[in-house]
Amino acid sequence: KKKKVVEEEPVAPAEDTLPPNMPAPIGEIVKRAQAWYLEKVKTYEKYNGSNTGNNVSCNVSFRFKQKQLNPENAVDGKITMEVLIEAKEGKYRYTIKNIKHVSDKQGMSCGDVYNTVPECGSMNVSDRTWKLIKTEAMIGANKVASDLKEFMKNEVDDKKEEW
């Protein structure tokens, strides 16, 4: 069974916009999620974004490069994942799924990080390298999740400056 990182986070509206104890409207939460998708980040790339009313989804990828001088296996490439943000009145839920390794070298892609054996086979990628890929993928997914949580706490400034 494939595992997913799923968490629900309550969202408090800005103090000056709504009376106390009133949850943030869905529109505000979706606007924050859309702004998170559009925000440029140095450590990873967001692409294929879509907004379907109450849901915002996108793909995220970041470079995977081994830190060794002469690595055991040629598995440098990228880690990809899907991020789905579902909005409800006063809260949102994000899901990070389909976390996969894609190698630059053909035939060395390890696939889903929840597999016990890499897609390209255990003869091509050692256990130690496979554990390193899985660890880096989880670190990346946690980074995306923490960035998203932090971004969703703040109100989006949608006022355009007039010249």
Side-chain angles (χ1 to χ4, degrees), residues 3-155:
K3 296 176 187 159
K4 299 177 189 174
V5 180
V6 178
E7 280 189 41
E8 279 194 18
E9 292 285 329
V11 177
E15 285 80 37
D16 59 347
T17 57
L18 297 170
N21 302 331
M22 189 168 175
I26 292 175
E28 172 65 23
I29 296 170
V30 170
K31 190 165 52 167
R32 291 179 190 186
Q34 185 68 28
W36 171 80
Y37 167 67
L38 295 172
E39 182 82 7
K40 296 279 183 234
V41 185
K42 288 182 180 178
T43 51
Y44 52 88
E45 179 188 359
K46 296 177 263 192
Y47 58 96
N48 290 346
S50 72
N51 183 342
T52 57
N54 295 351
N55 298 336
V56 174
S57 64
C58 70
N59 291 26
V60 173
S61 75
F62 61 92
R63 293 291 307 154
F64 171 76
K65 186 159 175 51
Q66 298 178 80
K67 293 167 180 69
Q68 299 165 249
L69 188 58
N70 295 316
E72 210 175 326
N73 308 110
V75 290
D76 290 354
K78 61 184 177 180
I79 306 285
T80 62
M81 60 193 79
E82 292 175 29
V83 179
L84 171 66
I85 305 162
E86 300 167 282
K88 286 187 179 178
E89 197 72 29
K91 62 183 174 182
Y92 69 94
R93 176 173 56 198
Y94 68 88
T95 308
I96 299 175
K97 60 183 180 179
N98 295 340
I99 306 171
K100 296 181 179 178
H101 169 265
V102 181
S103 178
D104 292 338
K105 187 175 179 185
Q106 195 170 353
M108 293 299 284
S109 293
C110 296
D112 194 324
V113 297
Y114 289 113
N115 291 343
T116 29
V117 177
E119 228 172 62
C120 61
S122 56
M123 296 302 284
N124 290 338
V125 176
S126 70
D127 279 352
R128 186 171 59 201
T129 306
W130 182 224
K131 283 179 184 157
L132 173 71
I133 292 170
K134 289 172 147 185
T135 303
E136 289 295 318
M138 288 302 126
I139 289 170
N142 287 331
K143 170 86 173 112
V144 170
S146 65
D147 286 357
L148 174 64
K149 283 190 219 175
E150 194 57 44
F151 199 91
M152 292 295 279
K153 288 179 187 173
N154 304 318
E155 197 171 346

